Amino acid sequence: MAGSERAKMAAGEWYTCLDDELEALRMTARDAVFEHNSLPPRQRRNLGPGLKALLGRAGEGARIEAPFHCAYGFNIFLGDGVFLNAGCTILDTASVRIGKGTLLGPNVQIYCAEHHKAAAGRQAGLEIARPIEIGTNAWIGGSAIILGGVSIGEGAIVGAGAVVTRDVAANTTVVGNPARAVKRD
């Protein structure tokens, strides 16, 4: 597909992140994130106004603790009552959908971007964006890392520090690197 780098990113094709339009969009996100992270908690409430306006969706009662970081913001869709604890990072080059009632511990990292395997491709800024979906009432433990293209089912638990490289079935608990299913108590 020919077109802008943003269009290629949205279509899940290889694109170059070293692009003026994409940089302008990232700068808009940085401004909104800076405002969110800098506001006093009573003034910020659940979401700073700029960040709330930027997100694809922020359900009722969705809350993001500061500090927070995202790449674009407009690809993030939060269900009602979603909670992101301090230090979360979402590199939302593709859609990130987090179902209602889901909790993310501190320093959870969600990476949609996958860089090119060849050094020359990486130096040229080539990336491909893979969506991530987290179902309702899931619990993602602190410092977990979720890689692009992964779906985490309803009620699933991802243990602290786990690296999720594959889909996680509903009501399953995974731990480790790479994350593997364990018996639930």
Side-chain angles (χ1 to χ4, degrees), residues 109-166:
Q109 299 177 49
I110 296 175
Y111 302 145
C112 293
E114 180 181 315
H115 299 282
H116 203 276
K117 306 258 184 297
R122 289 191 303 275
Q123 290 171 347
L126 288 177
E127 296 179 348
I128 194 164
R130 303 197 188 282
I132 294 172
E133 185 157 348
I134 303 173
T136 61
N137 298 312
W139 178 17
I140 313 300
S143 297
I145 298 172
I146 301 169
L147 299 183
V150 167
S151 291
I152 297 173
E154 176 181 345
I157 298 172
V158 174
V163 179
V164 182
T165 61
R166 296 183 202 165

Side-chain angles (χ1 to χ4, degrees), residues 32-118:
V33 165
F34 179 82
E35 175 198 58
H36 174 83
N37 291 336
S38 301
L39 284 169
R42 285 191 176 107
Q43 191 177 347
R44 178 181 62 238
R45 299 189 175 266
N46 287 347
L47 291 165
L51 185 58
K52 186 173 185 175
L54 182 68
L55 296 179
R57 178 178 190 272
E60 187 175 327
R63 180 182 185 93
I64 300 176
E65 291 289 342
F68 170 74
H69 177 76
C70 66
Y72 296 98
F74 55 76
N75 283 323
I76 299 172
F77 301 85
L78 306 177
D80 295 346
V82 166
F83 177 76
L84 279 64
N85 211 326
C88 288
T89 296
I90 301 178
L91 300 185
D92 61 310
T93 55
S95 173
V96 175
R97 297 185 179 275
I98 303 176
K100 75 176 189 172
T102 289
L103 309 173
L104 276 65
N107 301 310
V108 169
Q109 299 177 49
I110 296 175
Y111 302 145
C112 293
E114 180 181 315
H115 299 282
H116 203 276
K117 306 258 184 297

